[in-house]
Amino acid sequence: MSKTAVVLGAGVTGLSAAWKLSEKGWDVHVVESRPDIGGMSSCFEWKGMRLDYGPHKMYSQLPVFSEVMSLFSEDELNRIPKKSRIRLLNKFFEYPLKTQQLLVKVNPVKSSNFVMSYGMATARSMVAKKEDTNYETYMTNRFGSSIYNTVFGPYAAKAWGDPKTLDKSLAESRIAVPSLMEMLKRMVMGNNGQPELSASEFHYPKKGVDEISKKMLSKSKSVRLHLSSKVRRLKFSNMNISSVEIESGDKSETISPDFVISTIPLKSLVSLFPEVPETVSESLGNLNLRRLMLVMIEAEKERLFTDNWIFFPESKYIFNRISEQKGFSPSMVGEGKTVLCVEVTTDENSNVWKMPDEQVLSECLVGLNDCGIMGNDDVKDYKVVRMGNAYPVYSIGYKDHLYNVLRHIEGHGNIVSIGRQGMFSYTGMIDCIDMGFKTAEFVDSGKPLADWVKVRMGFENYVTID
């Protein structure tokens, strides 16, 4: 008889796990609280246009990437040369930053500070390397305080919080260039077989990023999708989950799973457990998530710029990144108009999050005017999309709290928690699919859950490639 799995969450992590389990003969139920699939890697309709919940790209050096690409025919994908810039010191620079630009385009005093600061950091590392205690020390040890205070520090503060309180692992996973010396070496000698630090091009589905989820679901066998549904109760027998009760409107259903894979937020999952130790509750309280506002601005122009992304680390701008949907797929918006996506990252209790939509737009326009992207008269319409649980905050010591929560979940025998939300993991879309594949392989293997920790720890090695 076939085995039954319940997957909580129909984002790319959950759907990739469901797809691979179904290929191995499992009957799979995917439970999703929203009426659509894809999670954060999804699209929404606005005024006849299809827009991403923030920009996405298809690119990875992981082996799984070729399997994702095989889901699409050649004419279903856009192949896009990547172009990004960063706004610094009232000027635009190519991104990732090129050293010669920093030295040539900024004033001589500032560029001299960059060189001297980097030289001092390098000299100190040769004599007595300073310990990497947090995000700030990790970056200043490698780039010097001047470049850090101009670029990396302000951006981290806007995107993730106070750099002094952030774990160094955030820098290790999110910064493409490990050091200025490595950047210079690769500029002169090339990669020499080492992994790329920045992609020269990427792919994107012509109909939207949610096509990836739709393709995976179409390939899945014996998968039943429960949309607009939520888990009402988990029942346990001898520590294992014996049944999952789900409800959708006035209908309810009980499923008896052999295994459960959760990709929903950790706090939501643990709330379904009958008994939660106080230490686990305390650890959950220390795993914080940042909020994200997407300010979508419609303009009657074909394009506002030719970049895929532009980054804004400086604190004078309320936003930290902008993009246009047409930079990924022009057909999703149509001719003669464009939609600018302005990303504002903040905390739940901040004044920014509490601003009414019209004030958020106004604050964004101040910055967009300042750098010449668009003026107030260019705005035809706008929409503010607010997203909770957007970005995990890698505070110092967060791993101890995370492991404490995961140990409690995994102590129940037939359940694991994975994915961006389920593992408090700042991973990209293809990384999440890889996670789903490997989890399905482990679950189907029948190995004891004690062997799972090694697999899970491997998920901490994903590195962002810009």
Side-chain angles (χ1 to χ4, degrees), residues 97-100 102-103 114-119 121-122 138-144 147 152 175 177-187 197:
L97 284 165
K98 291 181 171 56
T99 308
Q100 65 267 37
L102 283 175
L103 298 179
F114 288 159
V115 173
M116 290 176 60
S117 177
Y118 172 69
T122 303
Y138 181 96
M139 299 305 295
T140 54
N141 287 346
R142 287 156 179 79
F143 292 91
I147 292 178
F152 298 111
I175 304 301
V177 183
S179 69
L180 190 56
M181 184 59 70
E182 181 68 20
M183 179 195 299
L184 292 169
K185 185 171 70 174
R186 294 196 183 204
M187 285 169 54
L197 298 177

PDB file of all heavy atoms in Angstrom, residues 97-100 102-103 114-119 121-122 138-144 147 152 175 177-187 197:
ATOM      1  N   LEU A  97      29.512  46.113  -6.745  1.00  0.00           N
ATOM      2  CA  LEU A  97      30.425  47.252  -6.846  1.00  0.00           C
ATOM      3  C   LEU A  97      31.758  46.846  -7.450  1.00  0.00           C
ATOM      4  O   LEU A  97      32.314  45.794  -7.128  1.00  0.00           O
ATOM      5  CB  LEU A  97      30.661  47.853  -5.464  1.00  0.00           C
ATOM      6  CG  LEU A  97      29.532  48.712  -4.899  1.00  0.00           C
ATOM      7  CD1 LEU A  97      29.759  48.919  -3.415  1.00  0.00           C
ATOM      8  CD2 LEU A  97      29.456  50.035  -5.624  1.00  0.00           C
ATOM      9  N   LYS A  98      32.263  47.689  -8.321  1.00  0.00           N
ATOM     10  CA  LYS A  98      33.581  47.487  -8.900  1.00  0.00           C
ATOM     11  C   LYS A  98      34.529  48.500  -8.262  1.00  0.00           C
ATOM     12  O   LYS A  98      34.228  49.686  -8.180  1.00  0.00           O
ATOM     13  CB  LYS A  98      33.535  47.649 -10.416  1.00  0.00           C
ATOM     14  CG  LYS A  98      32.767  46.533 -11.110  1.00  0.00           C
ATOM     15  CD  LYS A  98      32.772  46.718 -12.605  1.00  0.00           C
ATOM     16  CE  LYS A  98      32.195  45.475 -13.300  1.00  0.00           C
ATOM     17  NZ  LYS A  98      30.877  45.115 -12.860  1.00  0.00           N
ATOM     18  N   THR A  99      35.673  48.001  -7.815  1.00  0.00           N
ATOM     19  CA  THR A  99      36.595  48.834  -7.062  1.00  0.00           C
ATOM     20  C   THR A  99      36.999  50.081  -7.828  1.00  0.00           C
ATOM     21  O   THR A  99      37.075  51.178  -7.273  1.00  0.00           O
ATOM     22  CB  THR A  99      37.852  48.023  -6.693  1.00  0.00           C
ATOM     23  OG1 THR A  99      37.462  46.807  -6.069  1.00  0.00           O
ATOM     24  CG2 THR A  99      38.745  48.809  -5.749  1.00  0.00           C
ATOM     25  N   GLN A 100      37.257  49.933  -9.148  1.00  0.00           N
ATOM     26  CA  GLN A 100      37.708  51.085  -9.911  1.00  0.00           C
ATOM     27  C   GLN A 100      36.659  52.189  -9.948  1.00  0.00           C
ATOM     28  O   GLN A 100      36.992  53.377  -9.992  1.00  0.00           O
ATOM     29  CB  GLN A 100      38.106  50.686 -11.336  1.00  0.00           C
ATOM     30  CG  GLN A 100      36.971  50.162 -12.215  1.00  0.00           C
ATOM     31  CD  GLN A 100      36.860  48.664 -12.157  1.00  0.00           C
ATOM     32  OE1 GLN A 100      37.057  48.085 -11.099  1.00  0.00           O
ATOM     33  NE2 GLN A 100      36.544  48.034 -13.291  1.00  0.00           N
ATOM     34  N   LEU A 102      34.528  52.889  -7.444  1.00  0.00           N
ATOM     35  CA  LEU A 102      34.571  53.555  -6.143  1.00  0.00           C
ATOM     36  C   LEU A 102      35.740  54.543  -6.074  1.00  0.00           C
ATOM     37  O   LEU A 102      35.647  55.600  -5.454  1.00  0.00           O
ATOM     38  CB  LEU A 102      34.705  52.519  -5.022  1.00  0.00           C
ATOM     39  CG  LEU A 102      33.433  51.759  -4.638  1.00  0.00           C
ATOM     40  CD1 LEU A 102      33.760  50.689  -3.613  1.00  0.00           C
ATOM     41  CD2 LEU A 102      32.365  52.698  -4.095  1.00  0.00           C
ATOM     42  N   LEU A 103      36.829  54.192  -6.727  1.00  0.00           N
ATOM     43  CA  LEU A 103      38.011  55.042  -6.667  1.00  0.00           C
ATOM     44  C   LEU A 103      37.935  56.214  -7.639  1.00  0.00           C
ATOM     45  O   LEU A 103      38.489  57.280  -7.377  1.00  0.00           O
ATOM     46  CB  LEU A 103      39.268  54.206  -6.956  1.00  0.00           C
ATOM     47  CG  LEU A 103      39.557  53.071  -5.966  1.00  0.00           C
ATOM     48  CD1 LEU A 103      40.813  52.318  -6.385  1.00  0.00           C
ATOM     49  CD2 LEU A 103      39.709  53.601  -4.556  1.00  0.00           C
ATOM     50  N   PHE A 114      38.660  55.168   1.539  1.00  0.00           N
ATOM     51  CA  PHE A 114      38.390  53.765   1.228  1.00  0.00           C
ATOM     52  C   PHE A 114      39.692  52.970   1.222  1.00  0.00           C
ATOM     53  O   PHE A 114      39.791  51.891   1.819  1.00  0.00           O
ATOM     54  CB  PHE A 114      37.708  53.635  -0.142  1.00  0.00           C
ATOM     55  CG  PHE A 114      36.280  54.097  -0.170  1.00  0.00           C
ATOM     56  CD1 PHE A 114      35.676  54.456  -1.375  1.00  0.00           C
ATOM     57  CD2 PHE A 114      35.524  54.181   0.978  1.00  0.00           C
ATOM     58  CE1 PHE A 114      34.365  54.876  -1.414  1.00  0.00           C
ATOM     59  CE2 PHE A 114      34.205  54.600   0.950  1.00  0.00           C
ATOM     60  CZ  PHE A 114      33.632  54.947  -0.258  1.00  0.00           C
ATOM     61  N   VAL A 115      40.698  53.504   0.507  1.00  0.00           N
ATOM     62  CA  VAL A 115      41.967  52.790   0.357  1.00  0.00           C
ATOM     63  C   VAL A 115      42.679  52.652   1.705  1.00  0.00           C
ATOM     64  O   VAL A 115      43.154  51.571   2.071  1.00  0.00           O
ATOM     65  CB  VAL A 115      42.874  53.519  -0.658  1.00  0.00           C
ATOM     66  CG1 VAL A 115      44.262  52.866  -0.684  1.00  0.00           C
ATOM     67  CG2 VAL A 115      42.252  53.490  -2.053  1.00  0.00           C
ATOM     68  N   MET A 116      42.741  53.750   2.454  1.00  0.00           N
ATOM     69  CA  MET A 116      43.437  53.720   3.741  1.00  0.00           C
ATOM     70  C   MET A 116      42.738  52.799   4.733  1.00  0.00           C
ATOM     71  O   MET A 116      43.380  52.023   5.456  1.00  0.00           O
ATOM     72  CB  MET A 116      43.516  55.130   4.318  1.00  0.00           C
ATOM     73  CG  MET A 116      44.444  56.068   3.561  1.00  0.00           C
ATOM     74  SD  MET A 116      44.410  57.749   4.226  1.00  0.00           S
ATOM     75  CE  MET A 116      44.946  57.462   5.909  1.00  0.00           C
ATOM     76  N   SER A 117      41.408  52.857   4.755  1.00  0.00           N
ATOM     77  CA  SER A 117      40.644  52.028   5.679  1.00  0.00           C
ATOM     78  C   SER A 117      40.819  50.554   5.364  1.00  0.00           C
ATOM     79  O   SER A 117      41.022  49.730   6.270  1.00  0.00           O
ATOM     80  CB  SER A 117      39.162  52.410   5.613  1.00  0.00           C
ATOM     81  OG  SER A 117      38.394  51.592   6.445  1.00  0.00           O
ATOM     82  N   TYR A 118      40.779  50.233   4.067  1.00  0.00           N
ATOM     83  CA  TYR A 118      40.973  48.840   3.678  1.00  0.00           C
ATOM     84  C   TYR A 118      42.395  48.386   3.994  1.00  0.00           C
ATOM     85  O   TYR A 118      42.609  47.270   4.496  1.00  0.00           O
ATOM     86  CB  TYR A 118      40.687  48.648   2.197  1.00  0.00           C
ATOM     87  CG  TYR A 118      41.058  47.265   1.707  1.00  0.00           C
ATOM     88  CD1 TYR A 118      40.339  46.147   2.122  1.00  0.00           C
ATOM     89  CD2 TYR A 118      42.153  47.080   0.870  1.00  0.00           C
ATOM     90  CE1 TYR A 118      40.697  44.872   1.707  1.00  0.00           C
ATOM     91  CE2 TYR A 118      42.521  45.810   0.449  1.00  0.00           C
ATOM     92  CZ  TYR A 118      41.782  44.707   0.867  1.00  0.00           C
ATOM     93  OH  TYR A 118      42.148  43.453   0.452  1.00  0.00           O
ATOM     94  N   GLY A 119      43.366  49.250   3.729  1.00  0.00           N
ATOM     95  CA  GLY A 119      44.753  48.898   4.016  1.00  0.00           C
ATOM     96  C   GLY A 119      44.984  48.628   5.488  1.00  0.00           C
ATOM     97  O   GLY A 119      45.693  47.683   5.859  1.00  0.00           O
ATOM     98  N   ALA A 121      42.704  47.627   7.656  1.00  0.00           N
ATOM     99  CA  ALA A 121      42.034  46.371   8.018  1.00  0.00           C
ATOM    100  C   ALA A 121      42.865  45.174   7.586  1.00  0.00           C
ATOM    101  O   ALA A 121      42.989  44.181   8.317  1.00  0.00           O
ATOM    102  CB  ALA A 121      40.654  46.323   7.374  1.00  0.00           C
ATOM    103  N   THR A 122      43.460  45.269   6.399  1.00  0.00           N
ATOM    104  CA  THR A 122      44.294  44.179   5.901  1.00  0.00           C
ATOM    105  C   THR A 122      45.535  44.003   6.762  1.00  0.00           C
ATOM    106  O   THR A 122      45.925  42.882   7.098  1.00  0.00           O
ATOM    107  CB  THR A 122      44.703  44.448   4.441  1.00  0.00           C
ATOM    108  OG1 THR A 122      43.534  44.621   3.640  1.00  0.00           O
ATOM    109  CG2 THR A 122      45.531  43.300   3.884  1.00  0.00           C
ATOM    110  N   TYR A 138      32.485  41.314  10.998  1.00  0.00           N
ATOM    111  CA  TYR A 138      32.792  40.463   9.847  1.00  0.00           C
ATOM    112  C   TYR A 138      33.090  41.318   8.620  1.00  0.00           C
ATOM    113  O   TYR A 138      34.074  41.080   7.899  1.00  0.00           O
ATOM    114  CB  TYR A 138      31.609  39.520   9.558  1.00  0.00           C
ATOM    115  CG  TYR A 138      31.848  38.576   8.393  1.00  0.00           C
ATOM    116  CD1 TYR A 138      32.302  37.273   8.613  1.00  0.00           C
ATOM    117  CD2 TYR A 138      31.600  38.971   7.077  1.00  0.00           C
ATOM    118  CE1 TYR A 138      32.518  36.398   7.547  1.00  0.00           C
ATOM    119  CE2 TYR A 138      31.815  38.108   6.007  1.00  0.00           C
ATOM    120  CZ  TYR A 138      32.270  36.830   6.247  1.00  0.00           C
ATOM    121  OH  TYR A 138      32.495  35.974   5.182  1.00  0.00           O
ATOM    122  N   MET A 139      32.251  42.334   8.360  1.00  0.00           N
ATOM    123  CA  MET A 139      32.419  43.158   7.169  1.00  0.00           C
ATOM    124  C   MET A 139      33.584  44.135   7.296  1.00  0.00           C
ATOM    125  O   MET A 139      34.341  44.346   6.349  1.00  0.00           O
ATOM    126  CB  MET A 139      31.124  43.913   6.877  1.00  0.00           C
ATOM    127  CG  MET A 139      29.928  43.008   6.594  1.00  0.00           C
ATOM    128  SD  MET A 139      30.212  41.820   5.255  1.00  0.00           S
ATOM    129  CE  MET A 139      30.391  42.917   3.856  1.00  0.00           C
ATOM    130  N   THR A 140      33.751  44.769   8.466  1.00  0.00           N
ATOM    131  CA  THR A 140      34.859  45.719   8.617  1.00  0.00           C
ATOM    132  C   THR A 140      36.206  45.016   8.581  1.00  0.00           C
ATOM    133  O   THR A 140      37.188  45.577   8.089  1.00  0.00           O
ATOM    134  CB  THR A 140      34.730  46.511   9.928  1.00  0.00           C
ATOM    135  OG1 THR A 140      34.601  45.604  11.029  1.00  0.00           O
ATOM    136  CG2 THR A 140      33.522  47.431   9.888  1.00  0.00           C
ATOM    137  N   ASN A 141      36.265  43.775   9.065  1.00  0.00           N
ATOM    138  CA  ASN A 141      37.514  43.015   8.992  1.00  0.00           C
ATOM    139  C   ASN A 141      37.940  42.748   7.558  1.00  0.00           C
ATOM    140  O   ASN A 141      39.134  42.569   7.278  1.00  0.00           O
ATOM    141  CB  ASN A 141      37.369  41.678   9.726  1.00  0.00           C
ATOM    142  CG  ASN A 141      37.343  41.853  11.230  1.00  0.00           C
ATOM    143  OD1 ASN A 141      37.679  42.915  11.752  1.00  0.00           O
ATOM    144  ND2 ASN A 141      36.916  40.813  11.936  1.00  0.00           N
ATOM    145  N   ARG A 142      37.001  42.714   6.644  1.00  0.00           N
ATOM    146  CA  ARG A 142      37.296  42.359   5.253  1.00  0.00           C
ATOM    147  C   ARG A 142      37.299  43.546   4.292  1.00  0.00           C
ATOM    148  O   ARG A 142      37.941  43.488   3.246  1.00  0.00           O
ATOM    149  CB  ARG A 142      36.278  41.305   4.777  1.00  0.00           C
ATOM    150  CG  ARG A 142      36.529  39.945   5.402  1.00  0.00           C
ATOM    151  CD  ARG A 142      35.291  39.076   5.445  1.00  0.00           C
ATOM    152  NE  ARG A 142      35.615  37.780   6.043  1.00  0.00           N
ATOM    153  CZ  ARG A 142      35.739  37.574   7.355  1.00  0.00           C
ATOM    154  NH1 ARG A 142      35.582  38.576   8.193  1.00  0.00           N
ATOM    155  NH2 ARG A 142      36.047  36.376   7.810  1.00  0.00           N
ATOM    156  N   PHE A 143      36.574  44.598   4.620  1.00  0.00           N
ATOM    157  CA  PHE A 143      36.464  45.727   3.697  1.00  0.00           C
ATOM    158  C   PHE A 143      36.929  47.050   4.296  1.00  0.00           C
ATOM    159  O   PHE A 143      37.044  48.039   3.569  1.00  0.00           O
ATOM    160  CB  PHE A 143      35.005  45.879   3.244  1.00  0.00           C
ATOM    161  CG  PHE A 143      34.531  44.753   2.390  1.00  0.00           C
ATOM    162  CD1 PHE A 143      33.918  43.640   2.948  1.00  0.00           C
ATOM    163  CD2 PHE A 143      34.697  44.779   1.001  1.00  0.00           C
ATOM    164  CE1 PHE A 143      33.475  42.586   2.172  1.00  0.00           C
ATOM    165  CE2 PHE A 143      34.262  43.728   0.215  1.00  0.00           C
ATOM    166  CZ  PHE A 143      33.649  42.629   0.787  1.00  0.00           C
ATOM    167  N   GLY A 144      37.164  47.095   5.588  1.00  0.00           N
ATOM    168  CA  GLY A 144      37.533  48.348   6.225  1.00  0.00           C
ATOM    169  C   GLY A 144      36.316  49.132   6.659  1.00  0.00           C
ATOM    170  O   GLY A 144      35.215  48.944   6.132  1.00  0.00           O
ATOM    171  N   ILE A 147      34.384  51.708   3.772  1.00  0.00           N
ATOM    172  CA  ILE A 147      33.461  51.067   2.829  1.00  0.00           C
ATOM    173  C   ILE A 147      32.264  50.494   3.577  1.00  0.00           C
ATOM    174  O   ILE A 147      31.114  50.597   3.128  1.00  0.00           O
ATOM    175  CB  ILE A 147      34.177  49.961   2.021  1.00  0.00           C
ATOM    176  CG1 ILE A 147      35.213  50.581   1.080  1.00  0.00           C
ATOM    177  CG2 ILE A 147      33.172  49.134   1.223  1.00  0.00           C
ATOM    178  CD1 ILE A 147      36.011  49.568   0.282  1.00  0.00           C
ATOM    179  N   PHE A 152      27.819  48.687   3.271  1.00  0.00           N
ATOM    180  CA  PHE A 152      27.278  47.484   3.891  1.00  0.00           C
ATOM    181  C   PHE A 152      26.507  47.745   5.185  1.00  0.00           C
ATOM    182  O   PHE A 152      25.463  47.140   5.424  1.00  0.00           O
ATOM    183  CB  PHE A 152      28.404  46.470   4.146  1.00  0.00           C
ATOM    184  CG  PHE A 152      29.089  46.004   2.900  1.00  0.00           C
ATOM    185  CD1 PHE A 152      30.393  46.373   2.627  1.00  0.00           C
ATOM    186  CD2 PHE A 152      28.424  45.204   1.982  1.00  0.00           C
ATOM    187  CE1 PHE A 152      31.029  45.942   1.472  1.00  0.00           C
ATOM    188  CE2 PHE A 152      29.050  44.766   0.827  1.00  0.00           C
ATOM    189  CZ  PHE A 152      30.363  45.145   0.564  1.00  0.00           C
ATOM    190  N   ILE A 175      26.369  38.068   1.403  1.00  0.00           N
ATOM    191  CA  ILE A 175      27.291  38.930   0.679  1.00  0.00           C
ATOM    192  C   ILE A 175      28.053  38.103  -0.333  1.00  0.00           C
ATOM    193  O   ILE A 175      28.796  37.184   0.011  1.00  0.00           O
ATOM    194  CB  ILE A 175      28.269  39.634   1.643  1.00  0.00           C
ATOM    195  CG1 ILE A 175      27.495  40.407   2.712  1.00  0.00           C
ATOM    196  CG2 ILE A 175      29.200  40.553   0.878  1.00  0.00           C
ATOM    197  CD1 ILE A 175      26.562  41.476   2.168  1.00  0.00           C
ATOM    198  N   VAL A 177      30.589  38.762  -2.355  1.00  0.00           N
ATOM    199  CA  VAL A 177      32.040  38.883  -2.402  1.00  0.00           C
ATOM    200  C   VAL A 177      32.604  38.706  -1.001  1.00  0.00           C
ATOM    201  O   VAL A 177      32.306  39.500  -0.106  1.00  0.00           O
ATOM    202  CB  VAL A 177      32.470  40.256  -2.969  1.00  0.00           C
ATOM    203  CG1 VAL A 177      33.978  40.327  -3.079  1.00  0.00           C
ATOM    204  CG2 VAL A 177      31.817  40.498  -4.323  1.00  0.00           C
ATOM    205  N   PRO A 178      33.410  37.665  -0.746  1.00  0.00           N
ATOM    206  CA  PRO A 178      33.885  37.406   0.616  1.00  0.00           C
ATOM    207  C   PRO A 178      34.888  38.420   1.138  1.00  0.00           C
ATOM    208  O   PRO A 178      35.056  38.554   2.339  1.00  0.00           O
ATOM    209  CB  PRO A 178      34.518  36.014   0.493  1.00  0.00           C
ATOM    210  CG  PRO A 178      34.897  35.890  -0.949  1.00  0.00           C
ATOM    211  CD  PRO A 178      33.866  36.654  -1.709  1.00  0.00           C
ATOM    212  N   SER A 179      35.587  39.129   0.248  1.00  0.00           N
ATOM    213  CA  SER A 179      36.537  40.148   0.687  1.00  0.00           C
ATOM    214  C   SER A 179      36.902  41.023  -0.496  1.00  0.00           C
ATOM    215  O   SER A 179      36.713  40.650  -1.659  1.00  0.00           O
ATOM    216  CB  SER A 179      37.813  39.508   1.259  1.00  0.00           C
ATOM    217  OG  SER A 179      38.554  38.880   0.229  1.00  0.00           O
ATOM    218  N   LEU A 180      37.456  42.192  -0.191  1.00  0.00           N
ATOM    219  CA  LEU A 180      37.891  43.095  -1.257  1.00  0.00           C
ATOM    220  C   LEU A 180      39.044  42.477  -2.028  1.00  0.00           C
ATOM    221  O   LEU A 180      39.139  42.623  -3.252  1.00  0.00           O
ATOM    222  CB  LEU A 180      38.299  44.440  -0.653  1.00  0.00           C
ATOM    223  CG  LEU A 180      38.548  45.588  -1.636  1.00  0.00           C
ATOM    224  CD1 LEU A 180      37.334  45.822  -2.525  1.00  0.00           C
ATOM    225  CD2 LEU A 180      38.899  46.862  -0.875  1.00  0.00           C
ATOM    226  N   MET A 181      39.961  41.795  -1.333  1.00  0.00           N
ATOM    227  CA  MET A 181      41.074  41.145  -2.008  1.00  0.00           C
ATOM    228  C   MET A 181      40.591  40.085  -2.987  1.00  0.00           C
ATOM    229  O   MET A 181      41.105  39.962  -4.104  1.00  0.00           O
ATOM    230  CB  MET A 181      42.018  40.521  -0.965  1.00  0.00           C
ATOM    231  CG  MET A 181      43.274  39.897  -1.574  1.00  0.00           C
ATOM    232  SD  MET A 181      44.260  41.103  -2.496  1.00  0.00           S
ATOM    233  CE  MET A 181      44.889  42.095  -1.137  1.00  0.00           C
ATOM    234  N   GLU A 182      39.578  39.320  -2.578  1.00  0.00           N
ATOM    235  CA  GLU A 182      39.015  38.308  -3.473  1.00  0.00           C
ATOM    236  C   GLU A 182      38.377  38.969  -4.689  1.00  0.00           C
ATOM    237  O   GLU A 182      38.490  38.475  -5.819  1.00  0.00           O
ATOM    238  CB  GLU A 182      37.985  37.463  -2.726  1.00  0.00           C
ATOM    239  CG  GLU A 182      37.341  36.358  -3.553  1.00  0.00           C
ATOM    240  CD  GLU A 182      38.308  35.242  -3.936  1.00  0.00           C
ATOM    241  OE1 GLU A 182      39.359  35.109  -3.280  1.00  0.00           O
ATOM    242  OE2 GLU A 182      38.017  34.523  -4.898  1.00  0.00           O
ATOM    243  N   MET A 183      37.709  40.099  -4.479  1.00  0.00           N
ATOM    244  CA  MET A 183      37.109  40.834  -5.588  1.00  0.00           C
ATOM    245  C   MET A 183      38.179  41.264  -6.583  1.00  0.00           C
ATOM    246  O   MET A 183      38.043  41.079  -7.798  1.00  0.00           O
ATOM    247  CB  MET A 183      36.361  42.055  -5.059  1.00  0.00           C
ATOM    248  CG  MET A 183      35.712  42.912  -6.140  1.00  0.00           C
ATOM    249  SD  MET A 183      35.228  44.554  -5.537  1.00  0.00           S
ATOM    250  CE  MET A 183      34.064  44.130  -4.266  1.00  0.00           C
ATOM    251  N   LEU A 184      39.267  41.848  -6.080  1.00  0.00           N
ATOM    252  CA  LEU A 184      40.349  42.314  -6.945  1.00  0.00           C
ATOM    253  C   LEU A 184      41.004  41.145  -7.683  1.00  0.00           C
ATOM    254  O   LEU A 184      41.308  41.235  -8.875  1.00  0.00           O
ATOM    255  CB  LEU A 184      41.393  43.059  -6.106  1.00  0.00           C
ATOM    256  CG  LEU A 184      40.947  44.391  -5.495  1.00  0.00           C
ATOM    257  CD1 LEU A 184      41.981  44.883  -4.486  1.00  0.00           C
ATOM    258  CD2 LEU A 184      40.725  45.432  -6.572  1.00  0.00           C
ATOM    259  N   LYS A 185      41.222  40.039  -6.982  1.00  0.00           N
ATOM    260  CA  LYS A 185      41.866  38.881  -7.580  1.00  0.00           C
ATOM    261  C   LYS A 185      41.043  38.323  -8.732  1.00  0.00           C
ATOM    262  O   LYS A 185      41.574  37.992  -9.796  1.00  0.00           O
ATOM    263  CB  LYS A 185      42.095  37.801  -6.511  1.00  0.00           C
ATOM    264  CG  LYS A 185      42.882  36.598  -7.006  1.00  0.00           C
ATOM    265  CD  LYS A 185      43.268  35.684  -5.861  1.00  0.00           C
ATOM    266  CE  LYS A 185      42.065  34.970  -5.282  1.00  0.00           C
ATOM    267  NZ  LYS A 185      42.442  33.975  -4.249  1.00  0.00           N
ATOM    268  N   ARG A 186      39.739  38.257  -8.535  1.00  0.00           N
ATOM    269  CA  ARG A 186      38.886  37.714  -9.591  1.00  0.00           C
ATOM    270  C   ARG A 186      38.758  38.679 -10.761  1.00  0.00           C
ATOM    271  O   ARG A 186      38.565  38.254 -11.898  1.00  0.00           O
ATOM    272  CB  ARG A 186      37.513  37.360  -9.028  1.00  0.00           C
ATOM    273  CG  ARG A 186      37.571  36.209  -8.029  1.00  0.00           C
ATOM    274  CD  ARG A 186      36.201  35.632  -7.791  1.00  0.00           C
ATOM    275  NE  ARG A 186      36.241  34.579  -6.796  1.00  0.00           N
ATOM    276  CZ  ARG A 186      35.342  33.603  -6.704  1.00  0.00           C
ATOM    277  NH1 ARG A 186      34.342  33.551  -7.564  1.00  0.00           N
ATOM    278  NH2 ARG A 186      35.432  32.681  -5.778  1.00  0.00           N
ATOM    279  N   MET A 187      38.836  39.986 -10.483  1.00  0.00           N
ATOM    280  CA  MET A 187      38.798  40.960 -11.570  1.00  0.00           C
ATOM    281  C   MET A 187      40.009  40.784 -12.488  1.00  0.00           C
ATOM    282  O   MET A 187      39.930  40.939 -13.705  1.00  0.00           O
ATOM    283  CB  MET A 187      38.768  42.378 -10.999  1.00  0.00           C
ATOM    284  CG  MET A 187      37.427  42.794 -10.425  1.00  0.00           C
ATOM    285  SD  MET A 187      37.550  44.333  -9.488  1.00  0.00           S
ATOM    286  CE  MET A 187      38.309  45.410 -10.689  1.00  0.00           C
ATOM    287  N   LEU A 197      30.381  34.523  -8.229  1.00  0.00           N
ATOM    288  CA  LEU A 197      29.869  35.351  -7.151  1.00  0.00           C
ATOM    289  C   LEU A 197      28.700  36.203  -7.623  1.00  0.00           C
ATOM    290  O   LEU A 197      27.933  36.711  -6.816  1.00  0.00           O
ATOM    291  CB  LEU A 197      30.979  36.248  -6.607  1.00  0.00           C
ATOM    292  CG  LEU A 197      32.176  35.515  -5.999  1.00  0.00           C
ATOM    293  CD1 LEU A 197      33.235  36.505  -5.561  1.00  0.00           C
ATOM    294  CD2 LEU A 197      31.744  34.651  -4.825  1.00  0.00           C
TER     295      LEU A 197
END
